[in-house]
Amino acid sequence: MDFFEEHGLTPYINAHDTYTVYGGSRMAENTLEAMRQVSRHFVDMEQLQKRLGEELAQLTKNEGAYITNGAAGALQLAASVCMVRGSMYHYRKLPDTKGIKSEIIVLRAQRNAYDEAIWGTGAEMVEIGDADETLEFELEGSISENTAAVFYFLSSLYERGSMELSKVIAIAHRHQIPVVVDAAAQLPPVENLWTITGAGADLVIFSGGKTLCGPADSGLIVGKKEWIEDCRRFGAPVHGICRSSKTSRESMAGLYVAVKNYLELDPQKNAAALRHRNEIVAGYVKDVPGIAKIETVEKGPVGQTYPRLFIYPEKKERGEHIVQKMYEQGIYIGYEKNCGAVYISPLNLTDEEADIVGNMLRVILLAE
């Protein structure tokens, strides 16, 4: 019996984005095969983490790499290693931070739902700036003998109030303070895998389950060799606060193959394939009455470089209703509340699914 039928589950088409609430992304067959193979045998987990990390570091042009159980797990581990500075004694005591540098500086304009992973370590939050701007003297003045790190969340959503990353790195490094960058969803461009560390960031975090198309419960940390070595020293399965962030051998193998696949993609051909899927959908709705405008936006929701198809109903209030109707037909699409537009992200679509999405969208629009 089909798994979905057996459990009364609905298989959805994801024309929205690589969100965890939908399961992330779709893994390639060779990724699944690597996971299957490693699942049939036992392995020295420390050796597996080290070997794959070394190979991933080479592939991504970094000093080191470490596989985690998602970007949130990576945030927790990165915060821990920045605070304990190589001390197993202090690591095992976390979230008790007595006797160690426990202050982590964040930009107020970048506060988000995912930074909770940092504070779960017992770290003390130091906020700088406001929603409109973050100034250099605020960072300079907030660094103290108790500062463990500066965490920076890279997203177009936070650009207005944020200080440039290059300035953050320069100031922090002048005080010998590491900078950790959460770039969980910042692919593409593929170059982000090495240009952010190349700009001086000590550790950079990526989600494995988004455009890398690895397991949804995987993540990747790349960065300076000494910090990555501490990730290996304190990361699961070592006992301590990050034990709950255990990464399976299957996820390690899957992410490794997924990163290789991603690096082998031709960016131009891949972008053309994504635009083609948008064009398929657009072909179904371009002549539907009640549509004010259809356009391609060359940015993802947090600034990534891929095309999304935006469809603007003449009546803005229709947008949310259209999304609901598509959901009832087993299709996720996006919605921009400010402008009332619905949008299609082609990242998780096949050409055949784009046909289904376009046809259903046309049916729903004509029925309104």
Side-chain angles (χ1 to χ4, degrees), residues 282-291 294 362 366:
Y284 280 94
V285 298
K286 63 183 180 181
D287 61 348
V288 172
I291 299 299
I294 298 175
R362 178 183 179 85
L366 287 173

Side-chain angles (χ1 to χ4, degrees), residues 284-348:
Y284 280 94
V285 298
K286 63 183 180 181
D287 61 348
V288 172
I291 299 299
K293 182 174 67 171
I294 298 175
E295 68 172 346
T296 297
V297 174
E298 297 291 341
K299 292 288 182 182
V302 293
Q304 314 97 312
T305 55
Y306 60 81
R308 291 182 293 164
L309 181 71
F310 276 67
I311 301 161
Y312 298 81
E314 289 178 352
K315 297 179 180 179
K316 290 184 179 181
E317 63 273 15
R318 292 179 64 196
E320 197 166 6
H321 179 67
I322 293 166
V323 171
Q324 179 61 31
K325 287 295 184 182
M326 291 290 282
Y327 171 77
E328 291 170 3
Q329 297 300 318
I331 300 171
Y332 293 118
I333 65 172
Y335 173 59
E336 283 287 347
K337 184 176 181 179
N338 291 338
C339 61
V342 298
Y343 70 83
I344 303 299
S345 169
L347 287 175
N348 284 314

Side-chain angles (χ1 to χ4, degrees), residues 5-19:
E5 289 182 6
E6 181 181 358
H7 298 282
L9 299 171
T10 301
Y12 284 85
I13 292 174
N14 182 3
H16 189 180
D17 220 295
T18 57
Y19 293 121

